């Protein structure tokens, strides 16, 4: 996916930080680029914009700071380096929004919410002020789908909560212990209208669930996991002998996100 001018400048700033001898920052620009692409794709945008890039950096920087806590003196200085990157990114964002004027009270430049880039100063100011107001609540009647929780429990038991794509078992404290999610291959909501059947279900971790639901990952007919950005295979999907995945749902998901004909495998 292409980047707008501001996002490209921001990614260049992040790429520059890899010159420092800090293990936690190896290939960080590639990770940020990938996350930003997923965020843009989730909004059905064909271009990565500055708000996508900044949100991706926010996630990546938190991981880097967590790594410093784990590694201790072996990767000392991450916090200082990240602080410098933050300042450079805010400078890039500020220069690209001169029409907004200087921020009040010397605060950092205000980030433009997704979908508002290119709006007038009055429009942007109104949106920012509205975002700062307390959230109002109202009662609504929701017409929701009734799903079969028993098949979700079954598939989680078959895989012991291990993700079929990445193989990770996500563990959380407390009585929950291991955590996974039931992901429909052909989505059950409109306009997909997939069936709520175990043949149309995968056991995934939250990260792979989001990637799969938004087309960043898809499957071939022989259940090989494909990276949508590189179009290269990652590895074979883990499949329990009791799990009979219907290839029709796999083809629907792949064709919806790639607009390609079914693979011949």
């Amino acid at each position: 996916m292409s980047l707008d001018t501001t996002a490209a400048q921001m990614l260049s700033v992040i790429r520059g930080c890899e010159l420092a001898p800090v293990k936690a920052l190896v290939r960080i620009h590639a990770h940020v680029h990938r996350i930003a692409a997923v965020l843009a794709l989730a909004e059905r945008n064909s271009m990565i914009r500055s708000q996508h890039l900044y949100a991706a950096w926010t996630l990546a920087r938190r991981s880097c700071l967590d790594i410093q806590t784990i590694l201790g003196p072996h990767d000392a200085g991450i916090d200082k380096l990240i602080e410098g990157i933050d300042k450079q990114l805010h400078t890039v964002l500020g220069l690209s929004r001169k029409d907004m004027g200087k921020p009040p009270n010397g605060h950092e430049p205000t980030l433009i919410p997704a979908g508002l880039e290119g709006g007038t100063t009055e429009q942007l100011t109104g949106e920012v002020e509205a975002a700062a107001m307390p959230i109002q609540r109202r009662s609504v009647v929701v017409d929701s789908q009734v799903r079969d929780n028993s098949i979700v429990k079954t598939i989680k038991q078959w895989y012991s909560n291990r993700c079929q794509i990445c193989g990770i078992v996500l563990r959380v404290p407390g009585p929950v212990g291991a955590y996974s999610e039931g992901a429909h291959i052909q989505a059950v909501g409109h306009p997909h209208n997939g069936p709520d059947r175990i043949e149309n279900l995968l056991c995934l971790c939250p990260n792979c669930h989001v990637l799969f639901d938004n087309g960043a990952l898809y499957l071939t007919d022989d259940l090989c996991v494909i990276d949508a950005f590189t179009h290269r295979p990652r590895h074979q999907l883990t499949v329990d002998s009791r799990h009979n995945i219907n290839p029709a749902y796999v083809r629907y998901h792949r064709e919806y996100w790639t607009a390609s004909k079914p693979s011949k495998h």
Side-chain angles (χ1 to χ4, degrees):
M1 297 178 67
S2 59
L3 296 85
D4 68 13
T5 302
T6 305
Q9 292 174 341
M10 294 169 68
L11 190 62
S12 179
V13 169
I14 296 171
R15 182 181 290 109
C17 77
E18 294 186 0
L19 298 176
V22 180
K23 296 178 182 178
L25 299 179
V26 173
R27 290 184 54 78
I28 188 172
H29 81 280
H31 299 316
V32 171
H33 192 179
R34 185 179 294 272
I35 295 171
V38 171
L39 294 175
L41 186 62
E43 295 180 357
R44 296 297 181 89
N45 283 318
S46 59
M47 176 178 290
I48 299 173
R49 302 191 181 279
S50 56
Q51 59 266 21
H52 302 133
L53 208 291
Y54 194 89
W57 164 247
T58 301
L59 293 172
R61 73 188 296 280
R62 170 43 53 191
S63 298
C64 291
L65 292 173
D66 289 344
I67 289 174
Q68 177 175 268
T69 302
I70 296 172
L71 296 180
H74 297 292
D75 259 0
I78 294 179
D79 52 348
K80 295 294 183 181
L81 187 57
I82 287 180
E83 182 180 349
I85 297 170
D86 286 339
K87 290 180 180 179
Q88 293 182 66
L89 292 180
H90 288 169
T91 298
V92 172
L93 286 167
L95 291 175
S96 68
R97 292 156 175 75
K98 288 182 179 179
D99 60 315
M100 294 181 65
K102 294 183 179 180
N105 303 322
H107 293 307
E108 296 292 344
T110 302
L111 298 182
I112 299 178
L116 296 179
E117 192 159 6
T120 65
T121 303
E122 292 75 13
Q123 289 173 329
L124 295 171
T125 302
E127 291 292 341
V128 171
E129 290 178 349
M133 296 294 290
I135 297 175
Q136 298 181 350
R137 302 183 181 276
R138 62 180 178 178
S139 298
V140 296
V141 177
V142 178
D143 182 13
S144 60
Q145 298 170 329
V146 179
R147 301 187 182 182
D148 188 352
N149 290 329
S150 65
I151 63 172
V152 175
K153 291 180 180 178
T154 297
I155 201 163
K156 289 182 178 183
Q157 290 173 353
W158 283 354
Y159 293 96
S160 300
N161 292 293
R162 185 175 299 279
C163 179
Q164 289 180 252
I165 290 180
C166 69
I168 288 176
V169 178
L170 183 64
R171 300 194 180 278
V172 295
V176 175
Y179 177 81
S180 63
E181 297 177 352
H184 289 88
I185 302 171
Q186 178 177 339
V188 296
H190 179 78
H192 312 284
N193 301 319
D196 192 22
R197 301 172 58 87
I198 204 162
E199 302 95 316
N200 187 35
L201 204 63
L202 297 175
C203 177
L204 302 180
C205 69
N207 282 353
C208 289
H209 191 173
V210 171
L211 293 172
F212 186 79
D213 276 359
N214 289 282
L217 298 174
Y218 61 88
L219 301 172
T220 61
D221 284 353
D222 60 358
L223 303 182
C224 181
V225 181
I226 303 296
D227 186 319
F229 297 108
T230 63
H231 303 291
R232 294 179 179 177
R234 284 191 172 185
H235 46 70
Q236 199 69 18
L237 184 76
T238 300
V239 182
D240 187 275
S241 59
R242 297 165 289 185
H243 191 187
N244 297 315
I245 298 174
N246 191 321
Y249 308 139
V250 172
R251 284 194 291 271
Y252 178 91
H253 176 272
R254 182 178 65 247
E255 292 176 8
Y256 178 81
W257 289 107
T258 66
S260 64
K261 295 180 180 181
S263 305
K264 295 181 180 180
H265 292 280

